[in-house]
Amino acid sequence: WPTASAITFGQALSDSTLSGGSASVAGSFAFDAPGTAPDAGTDAQAVTFTPTDTDNYTTVAGNVNVTVNKASPVILQWPTASAITYGQALSDSTLSGGSASVPGEFAFDSPATSPNAGTNAQTVAFTPTDSDNYHIVAGNVDVTVNKATPTVSQWPAASAISYGQTLADSALTGGTASVAGAFAFDSPTTAPGTGTYSADVTFTPTDADNYNTVSGSVDVTVGI
């Protein structure tokens, strides 16, 4: 019996070429149902040998295995991903929109990944509903990860200075935040008048790539 070339899901048996095969008399092999489009997989398909001399010989029926490969869906449009904040996982980002040539759904390959702040391409897979006949298709979707804002649970205390000194002469001590970082005066060259001066202070995280700065104020006592 002949061998059949592989086809792809959606193609008919007529797209498969029967090659080889031999019989005791001249003739040809052909699929019984060439218009059939089988599901993916390898299955036996009915084939008939028709002798050239049909007046003296009968046809002979048999089966030939035909491999049908899965088809690849066409992604018409990849989805968009909602922004998340540093510390959140990709599973917190919502994929919306997106369309393909067959029904299915889009999902992140690594939903537990927590990316750094910035906008970067993340791998997304389209899984067809009919996964028996269609391949999964991978692509990339940009995900924006916003910087997180630390929590300052206690602002530092500022040491007293004398009139004529600048805020740079005041030492900031103590102060706690949810991440590592440092407190500093916004305008260290300012020389306040006597009394109690409310000075602007900024907390700058050590990991400035992933965390925002936080602004606050502390009281500085300025003596005579």
Side-chain angles (χ1 to χ4, degrees):
W1 288 94
T3 58
S5 63
I7 56 176
T8 300
F9 176 70
Q11 290 185 302
L13 291 175
S14 58
D15 295 306
S16 175
T17 301
L18 292 172
S19 58
S22 59
S24 57
V25 296
S28 60
F29 296 93
F31 288 108
D32 285 11
T36 299
D39 285 339
T42 299
D43 292 295
Q45 301 295 337
V47 170
T48 295
F49 173 76
T50 302
T52 304
D53 183 2
T54 56
D55 291 335
N56 293 307
Y57 290 95
T58 59
T59 58
V60 181
N63 292 303
V64 171
N65 284 333
V66 179
T67 297
V68 181
N69 297 315
K70 289 185 179 183
S72 294
V74 177
I75 305 302
L76 306 175
Q77 182 178 358
W78 287 95
T80 56
S82 64
I84 55 177
T85 300
Y86 176 71
Q88 290 185 302
L90 290 175
S91 56
D92 295 307
S93 174
T94 302
L95 293 172
S96 57
S99 59
S101 56
V102 297
E105 62 179 15
F106 296 92
F108 289 106
D109 273 14
S110 303
T113 298
S114 296
N116 287 330
T119 299
N120 292 289
Q122 302 294 336
T123 305
V124 169
F126 173 76
T127 302
T129 302
D130 184 4
S131 57
D132 291 335
N133 290 311
Y134 288 96
H135 290 295
I136 293 172
V137 179
N140 292 308
V141 171
D142 283 340
V143 180
T144 297
V145 182
N146 297 316
K147 290 184 179 183
T149 300
T151 300
V152 176
S153 54
Q154 182 178 358
W155 289 92
S159 63
I161 56 176
S162 298
Y163 178 71
Q165 290 184 303
T166 64
L167 293 177
D169 296 309
S170 174
L172 293 172
T173 57
T176 55
S178 56
V179 297
F183 296 93
F185 289 108
D186 285 9
S187 303
T189 59
T190 297
T194 57
T196 300
Y197 179 76
S198 180
D200 293 330
V201 171
T202 295
F203 172 75
T204 302
T206 303
D207 183 2
D209 291 335
N210 290 311
Y211 288 96
N212 292 312
T213 58
V214 182
S215 297
S217 61
V218 298
D219 286 339
V220 180
T221 300
V222 183
I224 299 174

